Amino acid sequence: MGYINSEERKHNVTRRKIIFSAASLAVCALLCLTLYYSDIAADAAKEGLILASSAVVPALFAFSVLARILCEIGFPDFVIKSVPIHRLFGLPECTFPVIVCGFVGGFPVGAMLTADLYSRGRLTRGEAARLCAISSNVSPAFLVGVVGKMFSSRNYGLKLWIIQSAVVICAGFVMRFLPDDSSGKKENISKKEHFSVIRTACSAVAVSAAACVTVTGYIVFFRVISAVVGAEVPRFYGV
């Protein structure tokens, strides 16, 4: 048994070394491409910044701020009791605003709100994973306004959103039966006892602004990488 475990450890170490070596070579190759195609990389970075500032941030920032404030305030009790959608997924009541914002606003708002609840100890790891999967959707505004416009039919985008919502609801219902380790879950602190409008609004603005900067960084980075790799592919094939 000890010999088998030793061989397995050696195999895992060797596999990790291969993975790290491959990743290091890939990063070095991307670095060289970025330096070689510096003009293309600069133009791609500008395009990413323009895209983020003209489309992503305007659509994300205000909604993210309001969604965070809503999660702190919470929906009225009669709304939650009338449509207890969180129970369908086996999640606590504090996740109700996140689920609603995830279906209405799409990603990355749902993921950010989920991370916030988890960091404050109001969700277990399993609950956070399920909530993130449920609330990370494509917003109806994007599907109807952008995708629907591409296909010259707003009804097409609306149908996509309905299909997406149905799939997410079914998947979320199935995931509630998966095993969940509830260890480390803290006491659910009452929101109303510690709620401050000014503090909550300032915190929501600051966190949402940081999230927008992070999203912008991802957009610019992947736009640059796709541009330099795309510039090298025709050359690689001799086109």
Side-chain angles (χ1 to χ4, degrees), residues 153-191:
S153 174
R154 291 182 176 270
N155 289 332
Y156 184 82
L158 180 60
K159 291 177 181 178
L160 287 177
W161 181 74
I162 293 174
I163 294 173
Q164 172 194 248
S165 301
V167 171
V168 169
I169 290 174
C170 292
F173 178 75
V174 173
M175 284 190 295
R176 68 174 297 180
F177 299 104
L178 297 177
D180 177 21
D181 181 13
S182 298
S183 60
K185 186 174 181 180
K186 299 178 182 178
E187 184 179 354
N188 191 359
I189 302 174
S190 174
K191 302 184 290 297

Side-chain angles (χ1 to χ4, degrees), residues 91-133:
L91 295 171
E93 185 177 303
C94 63
T95 63
F96 182 88
V98 182
I99 296 172
V100 174
C101 292
F103 277 99
V104 176
F107 55 79
V109 174
M112 292 189 298
L113 296 176
T114 300
D116 184 56
L117 288 178
Y118 179 68
S119 65
R120 295 184 336 197
R122 303 186 65 183
L123 297 175
T124 66
R125 186 170 183 175
E127 289 173 344
R130 298 205 310 272
L131 179 59
C132 188

Side-chain angles (χ1 to χ4, degrees), residues 25-45:
L25 291 174
V27 172
C28 289
L30 290 174
L31 180 61
C32 293
L33 287 176
T34 304
L35 294 174
Y36 184 79
Y37 295 108
S38 58
D39 294 340
I40 294 177
D43 292 338

Side-chain angles (χ1 to χ4, degrees), residues 1-218:
M1 181 64 69
Y3 174 77
I4 295 176
N5 291 335
S6 177
E7 289 296 323
E8 184 178 354
R9 283 195 297 269
K10 289 181 180 179
H11 176 72
N12 291 335
V13 171
T14 302
R15 183 172 58 184
R16 284 197 296 268
K17 288 182 177 179
I18 294 174
I19 294 174
F20 290 152
S21 299
S24 178
L25 291 174
V27 172
C28 289
L30 290 174
L31 180 61
C32 293
L33 287 176
T34 304
L35 294 174
Y36 184 79
Y37 295 108
S38 58
D39 294 340
I40 294 177
D43 292 338
K46 292 179 183 178
E47 293 174 2
L49 288 172
I50 292 173
L51 174 63
S53 61
S54 62
V56 178
V57 173
L60 173 63
F61 179 70
F63 185 84
S64 176
V65 172
L66 295 175
R68 286 184 176 277
I69 296 175
L70 181 62
C71 284
E72 285 292 331
I73 299 175
F75 279 85
D77 292 337
F78 73 89
V79 175
I80 298 176
K81 292 179 180 179
S82 300
V83 192
I85 190 172
H86 59 283
R87 295 182 182 177
L88 179 65
F89 306 126
L91 295 171
E93 185 177 303
C94 63
T95 63
F96 182 88
V98 182
I99 296 172
V100 174
C101 292
F103 277 99
V104 176
F107 55 79
V109 174
M112 292 189 298
L113 296 176
T114 300
D116 184 56
L117 288 178
Y118 179 68
S119 65
R120 295 184 336 197
R122 303 186 65 183
L123 297 175
T124 66
R125 186 170 183 175
E127 289 173 344
R130 298 205 310 272
L131 179 59
C132 188
I134 294 167
S135 61
S136 298
N137 306 306
V138 183
S139 68
F142 179 82
L143 289 176
V144 176
V146 179
V147 178
K149 186 176 180 180
M150 290 172 56
F151 291 91
S152 301
S153 174
R154 291 182 176 270
N155 289 332
Y156 184 82
L158 180 60
K159 291 177 181 178
L160 287 177
W161 181 74
I162 293 174
I163 294 173
Q164 172 194 248
S165 301
V167 171
V168 169
I169 290 174
C170 292
F173 178 75
V174 173
M175 284 190 295
R176 68 174 297 180
F177 299 104
L178 297 177
D180 177 21
D181 181 13
S182 298
S183 60
K185 186 174 181 180
K186 299 178 182 178
E187 184 179 354
N188 191 359
I189 302 174
S190 174
K191 302 184 290 297
K192 296 180 181 179
E193 294 179 359
H194 303 277
F195 178 73
S196 170
V197 175
I198 297 177
R199 184 176 61 218
T200 300
C202 292
S203 175
V205 171
V207 174
S208 299
C212 287
V213 172
T214 301
V215 171
T216 300
Y218 279 111

